[in-house]
Structures are given as structure tokens and as C-alpha cells.
Amino acid sequence: MENKTNIILAAPKQSIEQAARTGLPVAHITYKIGRGYHLFRAQGAPRYAGGVMVLDASGYTGGGPLSGLIDEICAECEAGGFSGVVITPGERLGLGVAALAARLASIREQTGLTVYVPQEMAEIVPGAVVLVQTALSGGSLVRHLMEAAARYGAENVALEIARVRMDFTVPAKTGTGRELTQEELEALFGTYSPKIHYSEDLCASYFIYRDGRQTHFVLFDNAATIRRKLMHALRAGIKTAFLYYPGVHDILDEIMR
């Protein structure tokens, strides 16, 4: 794939080795803040130099000297050759996580570490790169990306691309349907032989089928739709994208063509 996107593969412990073999930077989903407010690394996680640290801060509520935790994070990033830290706050954003992310972002010039935060943290962590999700259930992805680039600056935005495979019953009561495995999606193709459509707004493919009296709307991604998401991001000036490796390993070569 001929583009200028900096693609980073987010990988849990069991997938890091395979992700690293692609030659792309890896976001190591192996770190968390544990007891005593210290940095912990998943036992047995393989070490590959480079990429970024993904830090699970969902259990961090603050307390203890923040400077000590910051020192541990920076030391581990230096040892691992990481260029940045992705902060994952969990379902509830606490003041402790916000303070940690803000402090890391404020010392970027000294450490050289880029701090990535979800969009809900953008206003409280100045200097961070904002992770904008591409999985939408409504609206326009192009507009979503353009608004994010205008609001934060395109250089301060990175995509978080999750491969969508979602089955909604119609009418959908929420913006979330039932997640499908690739095997379940292929089984639906085989059973119903549906006509495939493409949504320009959502930048995803979809089809409709009936199971008895119930109508279903299935939204899904493939290599082509993910490539189009990356193209729209580039047009908005957004040049970094995170892909969850276990979700795209089977189509990564097609994405990169």
C-alpha cells in the first residue's frame, strides 16, 4: 500500500512476536499500574525494541509520589526503545489518570515521548496526541476526521482503527450490535448469500438479512474499507494509525499494498 501513514500494530502479549515480524512498529499491550502505584509488565511478554508502550491505567486512582511512577515509565521506555506511551484509562476516567497523562505530556520535550490519549481526555491533557476512533454507528467518518483535525491540529491526531464486524437487529435500540467473529461473518455469507453494499458515510461495508421475522443489519470492515479509512485520514492530514493486530492479521498484507 503506497501511503505515508505511520501504521502501529497494537498487540497483546501473545501476538507481539508475530506483529514484530511484520517490520511495523508495535504498541505493546503489556503494561499496567499495579499495587503500590508501580509500573508492572506482563510476565513472559517478549521484548522487541521500538514501538510504543500501552499503559493500562484503569486501576490507578492517584496516591503515592507521581514523580516516582513517571520515572519508572520513562526508564522502561528508554530500556525498550519506546517512542511513546498510550494511556488507556478504562471505563471511568479518574483524576489520578488525568494527572499522570498530563504530567507525561508536559515533559515531552525532556523525554522525547509522545503521549497518546483517547478523545475524552483531549481537553485535559494538552500536548497529547488524540486517538480518534473510526468505528462509527452513525454520522460521517470524513466529517468526524476533518473536525478532529481542525480542533486538535492534524499533527496531534492519530487513528484508532478497530475492524468492525457487528450484527444489529432492526430497529436498533442502541449504537452497538452483537460482535461477530470472522467465522460467524463468513457463515452468514454462506447461509444468506447477501448483496454487499458500501456506506460512504461510515466507510464500511454492510448487508441486510432476515432470520425468521427479525431483520438484521450487518456492518463490517475488510482490507478495502480499512485502506479507505487510511486514505481519508491522510486527506485530513492525519498520518498515524493504530491497528489492533489480532483483528487484522489475516488482511494486513492487503491493507499494506
Side-chain angles (χ1 to χ4, degrees):
M1 179 179 182
E2 185 178 350
N3 63 46
K4 299 179 182 178
T5 305
N6 173 34
I7 292 179
I8 302 173
L9 299 177
K13 179 177 72 173
Q14 62 272 22
S15 300
I16 288 175
E17 184 174 354
Q18 297 95 317
R21 288 176 183 167
T22 67
L24 294 171
V26 176
H28 299 246
I29 310 176
T30 54
Y31 292 91
K32 69 176 182 178
I33 301 172
R35 290 175 296 178
Y37 304 118
H38 291 290
L39 180 68
F40 285 80
R41 178 173 166 270
Q43 186 175 7
R47 283 192 178 275
Y48 286 89
V52 301
M53 170 191 292
V54 179
L55 179 57
D56 177 1
S58 60
Y60 182 61
T61 58
L66 182 58
S67 60
L69 180 57
I70 294 287
D71 288 345
E72 290 184 18
I73 293 170
C74 292
E76 181 66 16
C77 286
E78 183 175 0
F82 299 149
S83 63
V85 180
V86 179
I87 303 292
T88 60
E91 294 182 1
R92 298 183 62 181
L93 174 59
L95 294 177
V97 177
L100 171 65
R103 177 59 180 156
L104 277 171
S106 72
I107 58 174
R108 178 175 178 177
E109 289 190 7
Q110 295 100 290
T111 64
L113 295 173
T114 300
V115 177
Y116 301 87
V117 299
Q119 197 165 1
E120 60 267 26
M121 294 179 66
E123 305 300 334
I124 57 177
V125 188
V129 172
V130 181
L131 291 169
V132 174
Q133 295 187 2
T134 61
L136 304 179
S137 58
S140 164
L141 177 63
V142 171
R143 187 180 304 115
H144 184 55
L145 297 179
M146 294 297 290
E147 288 175 351
R151 184 171 186 177
Y152 310 117
E155 70 280 5
N156 298 319
V157 176
L159 292 193
E160 184 177 0
I161 300 179
R163 184 179 179 180
V164 174
R165 287 179 294 233
M166 195 77 69
D167 187 329
F168 301 85
T169 54
V170 180
K173 296 181 180 179
T174 68
T176 303
R178 182 175 71 88
E179 290 190 19
L180 300 172
T181 64
Q182 185 62 24
E183 291 74 19
E184 288 174 322
L185 180 63
E186 291 175 1
L188 290 176
F189 290 151
T191 300
Y192 297 100
S193 301
K195 183 178 181 180
I196 307 299
H197 306 274
Y198 176 74
S199 169
E200 287 286 354
D201 283 340
L202 301 180
C203 198
S205 295
Y206 70 93
F207 63 86
I208 296 170
Y209 73 95
R210 287 187 62 84
D211 180 8
R213 296 182 178 180
Q214 185 67 63
T215 300
H216 294 254
F217 173 85
V218 177
L219 191 68
F220 68 96
D221 274 319
N222 52 30
T225 62
I226 292 176
R227 283 165 59 93
R228 189 168 286 269
K229 287 175 167 68
L230 293 169
M231 179 193 70
H232 286 314
L234 280 176
R235 289 177 176 175
I238 301 168
K239 297 182 179 180
T240 298
F242 286 80
L243 297 176
Y244 184 60
Y245 178 73
V248 299
H249 71 94
D250 58 323
I251 57 172
L252 186 60
D253 287 343
E254 294 179 70
I255 293 171
M256 299 301 297
R257 285 177 187 167

